[in-house]
Amino acid sequence: MRVAIADDSLLFREGLARLLEGSRFEVVAQAADAAELNAAVEANRPDVAIVDIRMPPTHTDEGLVAAIELRAQHPHLGVLVLSHHVETHHAMRLLADNPTRVGYLLKDRITALTDFTDAVTQVGTGGAVIDPDVVAALLGRRRQQDRIASLTPRERDVLALMAQGRTNHAISQRLHLGAKTIESHVASIFTKLDLLPAPDDHRRVLAVLTYLRAT
């Protein structure tokens, strides 16, 4: 299986290349940034591109952007993204269009060479490999989104104003609704978000956190 490696760390690239070559992969190209990766894929047509999520010049999401673009341009290319952190928004962007020939692994959780080489093979043959921590985070995000989706439009309006730090009185004035109506909406929000009975100040904070994490 032919592999391209993209990472701005020369030592990491060389080390990974030797490990893969020792496991009978053919490393056809190495790249230090997204531009080099694009050129390498065009010139060498690898089966899998292993890409660090953060690359020059800003070290934010250049690798992710390159991976998404490569998947669009080369549908038969497997893309395995490596990251130091669980970043659900990055994972969602990578998986959004086509959850095949794709992988998202955390560098620090790769403790066995065979697990990693198996992941490369699986991605290259049409499968998907997602780190369990990323899966757990994605499921948690989905549950939060589902709970927010269960709110009525008016309840979402109330929760959005709660997130701005507004009191029930301020919310009633903003929405031109009576105080009792706002109290009813807030109580319904607590119920739908599975916030057990507790001081209302505490539940307001938890409700706002759920809203922010899901949006």
Side-chain angles (χ1 to χ4, degrees):
M1 186 170 288
R2 293 160 56 82
V3 179
I5 301 171
D7 194 290
D8 63 310
S9 168
L10 174 62
L11 293 179
F12 181 84
R13 289 199 314 271
E14 289 291 343
L16 186 55
R18 292 189 181 187
L19 289 173
L20 290 171
E21 287 168 347
S23 299
R24 299 185 179 180
F25 290 87
E26 181 184 1
V27 178
V28 297
Q30 295 186 35
D33 57 35
E36 288 184 9
L37 174 61
N38 285 325
V41 170
E42 287 291 341
N44 298 281
R45 301 291 175 172
D47 300 302
V48 178
I50 301 173
V51 186
D52 186 15
I53 207 165
R54 299 176 185 271
M55 291 199 295
T58 67
H59 294 277
T60 53
D61 64 351
E62 282 87 352
L64 176 72
V65 171
I68 293 171
E69 291 176 350
L70 285 172
R71 295 193 73 210
Q73 296 165 6
H74 305 278
H76 298 294
L77 173 70
V79 175
L80 177 56
V81 168
L82 302 179
S83 178
H84 280 296
H85 309 287
V86 176
E87 298 172 290
T88 55
H89 59 294
H90 286 165
M92 290 294 290
R93 288 171 63 189
L94 184 67
L95 297 168
D97 295 329
N98 181 14
T100 62
R101 296 184 181 275
V102 65
Y104 189 114
L105 296 180
L106 302 180
K107 286 184 177 181
D108 294 341
R109 298 226 341 150
I110 300 171
T111 57
L113 177 58
T114 53
D115 290 345
F116 181 70
T117 55
D118 286 349
V120 176
T121 300
Q122 190 166 340
V123 169
T125 54
V129 181
I130 310 298
D131 187 279
D133 281 1
V134 177
V135 172
L138 287 172
L139 289 175
R141 180 186 175 93
R142 179 57 181 270
R143 282 193 295 270
Q144 290 165 345
Q145 290 174 331
D146 288 345
R147 289 172 181 171
I148 294 298
S150 72
L151 302 180
T152 67
R154 180 58 77 192
E155 287 166 352
R156 285 196 291 271
D157 290 340
V158 171
L159 183 52
L161 291 170
M162 287 167 61
Q164 296 175 18
R166 298 178 186 269
T167 64
N168 283 5
H169 178 69
I171 294 172
S172 69
Q173 290 186 319
R174 178 66 179 269
L175 298 179
H176 306 292
L177 296 172
K180 292 293 185 181
T181 302
I182 298 300
E183 289 176 9
S184 177
H185 284 317
V186 171
S188 178
I189 289 168
F190 290 159
T191 299
K192 291 181 178 180
L193 298 186
D194 292 332
L195 299 176
L196 299 176
D200 277 354
D201 287 348
H202 178 65
R203 288 200 290 177
R204 289 176 81 91
V205 171
L206 293 178
V208 167
L209 287 174
T210 301
Y211 171 75
L212 294 176
R213 287 170 182 159
T215 57

